[in-house]
Amino acid sequence: MKVLVINAGSSSLKYQLIDMINESPLAVGLCERVGIDNSIITQKRFDGKKLEKQVDLPTHRVALEEVVKALTDPEFGVITDMGEINAVGHRVVHGGEKFTTSALFDAGVEEAIRDCFDLAPLHNPPNMMGITACAEIMPGTPMVIVFDTAFHQTMPAYAYMYALPYDLYEKYGVRKYGFHGTSHKYVAGRAALMLGKPIEDTKIITCHLGNGSSIAAVKGGKSIDTSMGFTPLEGVAMGTRCGSIDPAVVPFIMDKEGLSSREIDTLMNKKSGVLGVSGISNDFRDLDEAASHGNERAELALEIFAYSVKRVIGEYLAVLNGADAIVFTAGIGENSASIRKRILAGLDGLGIKIDEEKNKIRGQEIDISTPDSSVRVFVIPTNEELAIARETKEIVETEAKLRSSVPV
């Protein structure tokens, strides 16, 4: 089976074609500036051969048509025709409370995705545009929707409910949902293998640290708490997001600065975090460089980020009553030895110790803890595309078996 994995953004469309026989990517590509001037498509084949061309991409449908052309291109492609694509897996950010697992796309699933537009106005609509384009271009190909929120639907009510009037939950679905679920699920599974234990017998804290960051407490392979909430704004300090703050700060700033609700939302989501504190950048590499040259605000931004992650790890050690492993993943988690060191500094009293030399290794799956650390510390590169492809394959094959067992 060959699975095409699609992640559609408002002006982009990322894709991978994965051969599920050996779970290897045949091609990885990106359509940029969809609906904007100077749009471009780039594709890198498994052997390194690269296609790059400027092409008009006014809509997601046209972008997907170009994806098919690139995949079947005589020189740069990896398949002879579209019929070789057996299934398509789509990433969708928000599934609300309706989906605890991935789902085969149909009219009911489409309606549920649209019902969540209010909950994820920046993500679900472009996700849906990618799905619609795919349905039009590949009408006979089964599609599976993999929701970022689904993995966290196992949280107990006392973990996901806010202490607000209950009718706000009933009317508007105001509660914690959590995000990055596909990544948390994938690295927790890898961690269980590295521990040599059935995942049902594990307690793991997964740290997905990038420009957007979230932590999850995973018990027996199920999420029981996570740091992001109703939106991806809650939780730890991030690249441009403030993370959890005193809610009373919001109306205070609105009054003092004369901001609208949209303007304060932009301030907290796009102008805050380490960018807002440092005044330099939301790129942690830039902050490391500036801090090394004595920039106090860059150093403060790094300290705030590391402290916010450390604090959540401490909370989840309590929630889980200890942990078998702590996992670092995503761009910062996988590649920044200095950030990992900052986060874990001073946790030796909880039995968490890392090997300084092993911690210097970047982007590899590795145990960086010392032999006497009672909690293992893993760096595990995430692979959300493979996780989506696996879910897609499983659901499509299960559906095929069910259909074949139904008497004619």
Side-chain angles (χ1 to χ4, degrees):
M1 179 183 286
K2 292 184 179 73
V3 175
L4 178 62
V5 176
I6 291 178
N7 182 359
S10 57
S11 61
S12 67
L13 193 149
K14 299 177 184 177
Y15 66 94
Q16 280 195 27
L17 183 64
I18 300 176
D19 186 343
M20 297 308 292
I21 292 175
N22 52 13
E23 296 190 333
S24 61
L26 299 173
V28 178
L30 172 63
C31 296
E32 296 178 88
R33 301 180 63 82
V34 177
I36 308 173
D37 292 341
N38 302 315
S39 46
I40 187 171
I41 180 171
T42 55
Q43 177 177 286
K44 189 174 182 180
R45 217 165 63 169
F46 64 93
D47 59 1
K49 198 166 191 179
K50 190 174 181 180
L51 165 72
E52 183 173 323
K53 67 173 180 176
Q54 283 199 314
V55 58
D56 190 27
L57 302 174
T59 65
H60 283 74
R61 174 176 178 139
V62 173
L64 197 61
E65 288 172 348
E66 289 297 327
V67 168
V68 172
K69 288 179 185 176
L71 290 171
T72 57
D73 185 270
E75 182 179 357
F76 298 98
V78 291
I79 55 175
T80 55
D81 61 68
M82 199 166 60
E84 289 186 49
I85 300 172
N86 305 105
V88 182
H90 292 270
R91 176 186 182 234
V92 171
V93 166
H94 217 307
E97 293 188 312
K98 293 182 174 70
F99 299 99
T100 58
T101 61
S102 303
L104 193 69
F105 183 72
D106 58 19
V109 173
E110 177 177 356
E111 182 181 3
I113 294 171
R114 293 186 183 278
D115 286 344
C116 291
F117 276 14
D118 283 349
L119 299 177
L122 299 180
H123 297 94
N124 272 33
N127 293 161
M128 192 66 236
M129 284 191 282
I131 294 166
T132 302
C134 197
E136 292 172 352
I137 294 169
M138 308 169 68
T141 306
M143 297 193 295
V144 171
I145 312 303
V146 181
F147 298 95
D148 269 13
T149 50
F151 180 60
H152 300 301
Q153 285 300 301
T154 50
M155 288 187 293
Y158 57 77
Y160 69 69
M161 286 296 296
Y162 295 124
L164 292 167
Y166 196 81
D167 66 325
L168 296 176
Y169 165 67
E170 294 177 310
K171 288 192 290 186
Y172 309 118
V174 176
R175 51 156 286 182
K176 175 185 284 193
Y177 289 100
F179 300 89
H180 296 139
T182 304
S183 177
H184 287 295
K185 181 179 179 181
Y186 175 81
V187 298
R190 292 298 308 165
L193 290 174
M194 292 174 74
L195 288 165
K197 299 173 70 171
I199 196 165
E200 294 78 14
D201 299 334
T202 61
K203 295 185 289 186
I204 300 168
I205 298 170
T206 51
C207 304
H208 179 106
L209 307 181
N211 192 49
S213 298
S214 67
I215 326 295
V218 184
K219 186 175 184 180
K222 299 182 184 300
S223 174
I224 62 168
D225 204 351
T226 189
S227 58
M228 283 182 170
F230 179 67
T231 73
L233 183 59
E234 186 181 353
V236 302
M238 303 176 221
T240 62
R241 299 178 191 142
C242 61
S244 297
I245 59 173
D246 181 347
V249 169
V250 177
F252 179 84
I253 294 174
M254 290 176 73
D255 290 343
K256 292 293 185 182
E257 295 287 320
L259 301 180
S260 66
S261 59
R262 185 178 295 276
E263 288 170 331
I264 191 69
D265 183 74
T266 298
L267 183 146
M268 293 188 295
N269 271 290
K270 297 184 178 180
K271 299 179 181 180
S272 299
V274 296
L275 170 64
V277 174
S278 70
I280 297 172
S281 176
N282 63 318
D283 190 314
F284 283 74
R285 293 166 295 188
D286 295 341
L287 298 182
D288 265 331
E289 177 70 16
S292 71
H293 287 90
N295 188 301
E296 293 182 0
R297 282 174 57 184
E299 176 65 23
L300 177 61
L302 292 170
E303 287 178 345
I304 289 172
F305 174 75
Y307 178 74
S308 67
V309 175
K310 179 184 296 192
R311 186 170 60 185
V312 175
I313 289 173
E315 290 176 8
Y316 290 170
L317 284 169
V319 166
L320 292 166
N321 190 21
D324 298 301
I326 296 170
V327 178
F328 289 94
T329 193
I332 297 167
E334 294 169 25
N335 296 298
S336 179
S338 62
I339 292 293
R340 293 194 297 260
K341 183 177 179 180
R342 284 177 184 266
I343 292 168
L344 298 177
L347 296 184
D348 52 316
L350 297 174
I352 301 167
K353 304 175 185 179
I354 60 169
D355 183 302
E356 296 284 351
E357 289 304 311
K358 289 181 179 178
N359 186 45
K360 293 177 182 177
I361 296 173
R362 302 175 62 231
Q364 295 181 29
E365 191 171 274
I366 186 173
D367 181 347
I368 62 170
S369 45
T370 60
D372 62 336
S373 179
S374 58
V375 179
R376 310 319 299 165
V377 181
F378 299 142
V379 175
I380 301 177
T382 193
N383 193 335
E384 292 171 277
E385 289 78 16
L386 177 58
I388 291 169
R390 284 175 175 171
E391 298 247 349
T392 300
K393 177 176 182 287
E394 181 181 351
I395 288 174
V396 169
E397 288 182 342
T398 299
E399 180 69 14
K401 288 177 183 176
L402 287 172
R403 287 184 177 180
S404 65
S405 65
V406 176
V408 178

